[in-house]
């Protein structure tokens, strides 16, 4: 009898684990980022500032606050403030989830990609929700722009990224590939490290040294084979010996 009972308990445990795995797999397959209507709804509902015990202290923050104001027109400065505040509102989605007893989607990061009077894409960090380390706010904004709103490289070129925090090296590189013209941000790497433990600055510093000496090192193998494939790629894709034009 005891053996049968143990077998039954074991079978139930396996079934439970299978159901949990299936639920996780279904969730991963069915969530493709928040749609424009969903991000807009949050912006409409969200508060403009954190709780009063975390009120903005006059004069607090980096001296970098003066940088944008000195290099753009008054009209552009007002646009910058408007859409940067929108990015911060998007970022507030995650701490507000925690306040209401829910697991946050990810870190305190929100972003807006803007060009010629319209929002191309926006989003907040969903790294924890999806278990995907690339789902930063800036990356989600880019995916919404391209996947949901149908904008391509030509439309993205010359746009402005507004982001609640200075973009990490991955997101910065993505903006470079997209030919984003400007990046406007609020908090910096120091804030992300001090209050969230995010290692943006160590990663940035690692990129300044040879790859084999980095904390996450790399080493080169089969360089000749790799180069040969590049030669063929160039010959069949670009046919000009030069390469990408974007």
């Amino acid at each position: 009898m005891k053996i049968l009972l143990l077998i039954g308990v074991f079978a139930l445990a396996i079934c439970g684990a299978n159901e949990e795995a299936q639920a996780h797999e279904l969730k991963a397959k069915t969530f493709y980022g928040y749609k424009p209507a969903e991000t807009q709804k949050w912006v409409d509902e969200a508060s403009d500032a954190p709780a009063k015990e975390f009120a903005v202290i006059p004069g607090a923050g980096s001296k970098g606050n003066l940088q944008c104001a000195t290099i753009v027109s008054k009209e552009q400065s007002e646009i910058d403030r408007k859409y940067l505040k929108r990015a911060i509102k998007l970022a507030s989605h995650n701490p507000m989830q925690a306040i209401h007893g829910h697991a946050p989607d990810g870190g305190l990061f929100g972003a807006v990609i803007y060009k010629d009077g319209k929002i191309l894409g926006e989003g907040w960090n969903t790294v924890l929700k999806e278990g995907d380390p690339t789902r930063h706010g800036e990356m989600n904004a880019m995916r919404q722009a391209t996947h949901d709103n149908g904008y391509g490289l030509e439309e993205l070129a010359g746009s402005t990224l507004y982001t609640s925090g200075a973009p990490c090296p991955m997101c910065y590189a993505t903006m470079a590939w997209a030919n984003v013209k400007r990046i406007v941000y609020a908090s910096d790497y120091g804030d992300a490290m001090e209050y969230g433990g995010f290692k943006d600055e160590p990663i940035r510093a690692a990129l300044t040294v040879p790859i084999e000496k980095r904390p996450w090192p790399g080493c080169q193998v089969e360089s000749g084979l790799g180069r040969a494939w590049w030669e063929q790629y160039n010959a069949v894709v670009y046919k000009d010996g030069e390469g990408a034009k974007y």
Side-chain angles (χ1 to χ4, degrees):
M1 180 64 73
K2 287 184 178 180
I3 294 175
L4 290 175
L5 182 61
L6 287 173
I7 291 174
V9 171
F10 185 65
L12 287 173
I14 291 176
C15 289
N18 286 338
E19 288 177 1
E20 184 178 348
Q22 289 172 358
H24 180 76
E25 183 179 0
L26 180 62
K27 178 181 177 182
K29 286 182 177 179
T30 56
F31 184 79
Y32 298 102
Y34 290 100
K35 303 300 181 184
E38 294 174 299
T39 52
Q40 180 62 55
K41 184 175 185 293
W42 175 255
V43 170
D44 293 340
E45 296 175 352
S47 172
D48 289 329
K52 61 183 180 180
E53 60 264 37
F54 303 107
V56 176
I57 301 171
S62 169
K63 293 180 180 179
N65 286 331
L66 302 175
Q67 293 173 355
C68 287
T70 60
I71 60 176
V72 299
S73 66
K74 182 179 180 180
E75 180 183 4
Q76 182 61 57
S77 183
E78 290 175 355
I79 292 173
D80 287 349
R81 291 176 65 85
K82 176 181 178 180
Y83 288 99
L84 182 59
K85 286 184 176 181
R86 185 181 181 95
I88 294 170
K89 264 194 171 186
L90 289 163
S92 75
H93 177 272
N94 290 338
M96 291 307 295
Q97 279 184 306
I99 287 174
H100 290 97
H102 306 295
D105 288 348
L108 181 66
F109 303 102
V112 176
I113 300 173
Y114 170 90
K115 181 182 179 183
D116 296 338
K118 60 185 176 183
I119 293 172
L120 305 187
E122 62 184 6
W124 56 76
N125 187 296
T126 57
V127 167
L128 297 180
K129 179 180 180 69
E130 301 186 70
D132 181 345
T134 69
R135 282 295 200 173
H136 290 196
E138 298 92 333
M139 303 297 279
N140 283 339
M142 185 63 71
R143 285 171 173 140
Q144 189 185 93
T146 56
H147 294 188
D148 294 317
N149 296 332
Y151 294 111
L153 292 171
E154 185 175 340
E155 290 91 354
L156 290 167
S159 60
T160 297
L161 169 69
Y162 295 99
T163 175
S164 62
C168 75
M170 174 183 69
C171 294
Y172 183 86
T174 299
M175 299 308 137
W177 284 117
N179 285 315
V180 166
K181 186 177 181 180
R182 301 174 63 234
I183 296 174
V184 181
Y185 64 92
S187 61
D188 56 27
Y189 285 176
D191 297 322
M193 174 64 82
E194 182 175 357
Y195 298 107
F198 291 95
K199 54 190 179 187
D200 303 72
E201 175 55 30
I203 295 173
R204 184 209 64 78
L207 294 175
T208 65
V209 300
I211 190 169
E212 67 273 9
K213 296 181 180 179
R214 296 174 189 171
W216 305 274
C219 59
Q220 191 173 23
V221 181
E222 294 286 3
S223 59
L225 181 60
R227 182 182 179 86
W229 273 107
W230 269 115
E231 290 173 349
Q232 177 178 321
Y233 177 85
N234 184 277
V236 299
V237 176
Y238 300 116
K239 304 177 183 178
D240 60 3
E242 295 181 9
K245 302 300 188 294
Y246 64 87

